[in-house]
Amino acid sequence: MTDHVLVINCGSSSLKFAAIDPISGQAALSGLAERLGSPDASLNVRQGDTRQSVSLAEGGHDAAMLAVLQLLDNSGLSAKLSAVGHRVVHGGERFKSSVCIDDVVEAEIDACARLAPLHNPANLIGIRTARACFANLPQVAVFDTAFHQSMPAHAYLYAIPSALYTEHGLRRYGFHGTSHRYVAAEAAAMLGRPLNDCALITAHLGNGASAAAVLDGHSVDTTMGLTPLEGLVMGTRSGDIDPSLVPFIGKALDLPADQVIDLLNRKSGLLGLSGLSNDCRALQTAAAEGHAGAQIALDVFCYRLAKHIAGLSVALPRLDALVFTGGIGENSVWVREQVMKQLGLLGFAIDSAANARCVGGVAGPIHAAGSRTALVVNTNEELLIARDTFALAQS
Ligand code: AMP
């Protein structure tokens, strides 16, 4: 059997893991530890069709990693692991691709934490714990930002005093890079074209959402910016706003700026507009039953998405395909149909029957005859992390 890669995605109170065969993409063992550090910390594990839940009672990341180690031992997978791959949110301008982790890289990831204070410290906990628990295995960092490092300056600069970029690194970075990179390659294969001769717009639509213009395998623009707040309307994030809203909201609700940003990250988007839910599927059901808030939330989501896709088209010399992915992109027949309708000027028209077929893991083209090409592609960020990790560990 091929060597497996342990993929780790560490949040501030969670640890997601999967032991993946980097060739087949099969996960032999996977799981999620949640509420770490609290009395009801637990680890939910899946192995084939078997699921089990392990209590970690007050356990933190160390306890979760030791429990994962134990499970890997018990299932005979420890000996098959060839490397550990870590999802890291922010690599700043330092990391333009995945990299083997040593003490210097660890310190540089720490330095990037100033740009992602909520995420990089949590990712580092996972790295440090795994380096201690799996000391004999190579460890690799795969960055959400790295794929977008190919953006030209006119796409990544904000029109603010230039010293804020040169002296403080304040620029657009973009996120979801592993997903955009993975689906771009899958879309090229679906189109039967080499990736290095493809002009694509990839729309990753999950609870977080971003779109990217990908030319010949390289990101040339994307909708997220310095932080994941910029761009599309998301589950709980506002996406683009007039920055003057920050002091206006602060005054209206008597909140300091950091709490306004928290409101824009956690209480806005589909949730804020609908007053009901951040979940697209729940909103579609409610809208069909006449809930006005759910309907307007979905309408704003689709309109803003179509507007951003049209905007990204200026980054490309032509457009070979629009690619839908993520929980919403892979499953919402309704969202895809609205967005394609609003993109009529760009030459898109939907094939309703093909669109209806592409749900629950079914991928494929959804455009009508004579239309510009639109595809549904299933993303797999963990597989891309496993592949990068495996390749770097071999080199
Ligand atoms: P993700 O963050 O990629 O897991 O995507 C989560 C989002 O996908 C949520 O808003 C879900 O409601 C949405 N989603 C999943 N399945 C469907 C579906 N069948 N129809 C509409 N939205 C869906």
Side-chain angles (χ1 to χ4, degrees):
M1 190 193 277
T2 335
D3 288 332
H4 279 62
V5 170
L6 180 63
V7 174
I8 290 178
N9 182 354
C10 208
S12 55
S13 64
S14 68
L15 188 154
K16 197 173 168 193
F17 78 95
I20 295 180
D21 178 332
I23 309 296
S24 71
Q26 293 290 323
L29 184 73
S30 61
L32 174 65
E34 289 179 288
R35 298 177 292 276
L36 294 174
S38 79
D40 47 355
S42 67
L43 173 64
N44 292 300
V45 183
R46 182 173 176 178
Q47 187 167 22
D49 292 334
T50 317
R51 287 161 197 265
Q52 59 168 310
S53 186
V54 183
S55 169
L56 296 172
E58 306 279 358
H61 291 84
D62 289 11
M65 198 73 82
L66 286 172
V68 171
L69 194 57
Q70 187 73 57
L71 286 160
L72 290 164
D73 272 345
N74 293 349
S75 49
L77 281 164
S78 291
K80 292 183 184 139
L81 288 182
S82 61
V84 183
H86 297 267
R87 177 182 179 215
V88 179
V89 168
H90 220 303
E93 290 189 324
R94 165 67 185 82
F95 297 105
K96 301 188 189 313
S97 58
S98 305
V99 64
C100 282
I101 301 172
D102 57 17
D103 291 346
V104 174
V105 167
E106 198 181 295
E108 287 171 331
I109 294 172
D110 202 9
C112 293
R114 132 192 119 71
L115 295 166
L118 297 179
H119 294 103
N120 274 32
N123 301 154
L124 274 169
I125 294 173
I127 289 172
R128 289 177 180 138
T129 316
R131 287 186 81 196
C133 286
F134 302 95
N136 56 336
L137 293 181
Q139 314 258 334
V140 169
V142 179
F143 301 90
D144 273 15
T145 49
F147 183 57
H148 301 299
Q149 278 297 298
S150 47
M151 287 195 288
H154 63 253
Y156 71 66
L157 285 177
Y158 289 113
I160 56 177
S162 58
L164 289 167
Y165 166 55
T166 52
E167 290 170 25
H168 300 276
L170 300 182
R171 51 158 282 182
R172 306 181 66 248
Y173 287 93
F175 298 86
H176 288 145
T178 47
S179 180
H180 290 296
R181 191 176 137 213
Y182 180 86
V183 299
E186 291 288 301
M190 223 180 247
L191 293 170
R193 298 175 72 111
L195 179 61
N196 63 12
D197 183 26
C198 262
L200 306 166
I201 292 179
T202 50
H204 175 103
L205 311 174
N207 197 34
S210 69
V214 182
L215 181 61
D216 303 340
H218 304 288
S219 171
V220 287
D221 200 357
T222 191
T223 55
M224 283 178 167
L226 173 72
T227 75
L229 186 53
E230 188 179 334
L232 306 178
V233 173
M234 310 180 212
T236 62
R237 294 190 191 117
S238 62
D240 291 346
I241 55 157
D242 178 344
S244 304
L245 265 176
V246 174
F248 272 88
I249 295 171
K251 206 168 166 195
L253 301 180
D254 194 20
L255 292 175
D258 57 339
Q259 285 184 36
V260 175
I261 296 298
D262 192 62
L263 175 148
L264 294 171
N265 269 300
R266 295 174 195 267
K267 295 180 185 158
S268 302
L270 292 175
L271 173 66
L273 272 170
S274 68
L276 187 68
S277 172
N278 64 317
D279 187 281
C280 179
R281 190 169 15 185
L283 292 181
Q284 284 180 213
T285 305
E289 289 164 358
H291 191 291
Q295 188 61 59
I296 194 65
L298 290 167
D299 289 346
V300 175
F301 178 91
C302 292
Y303 174 72
R304 205 76 80 74
L305 172 57
K307 192 164 140 176
H308 269 283
I309 289 168
L312 284 172
S313 69
V314 303
L316 300 170
R318 58 176 199 285
L319 180 53
D320 296 324
L322 168 63
V323 182
F324 290 97
T325 194
I328 298 171
E330 293 170 31
N331 294 294
S332 179
V333 174
W334 187 85
V335 165
R336 293 189 304 241
E337 187 173 348
Q338 299 313 305
V339 173
M340 295 272 286
K341 269 188 197 157
Q342 283 162 335
L343 290 171
L345 197 64
L346 287 187
F348 284 101
I350 199 142
D351 176 333
S352 298
N355 187 34
R357 274 195 299 277
C358 288
V359 289
V362 178
I366 56 168
H367 56 280
S371 159
R372 202 184 283 281
T373 303
L375 306 171
V376 173
V377 172
N378 298 310
T379 194
N380 195 337
E381 296 170 83
E382 285 167 348
L383 177 55
L384 191 101
I385 295 172
R387 283 181 183 161
D388 270 14
T389 302
F390 188 67
L392 278 168
Q394 305 296 304
S395 60

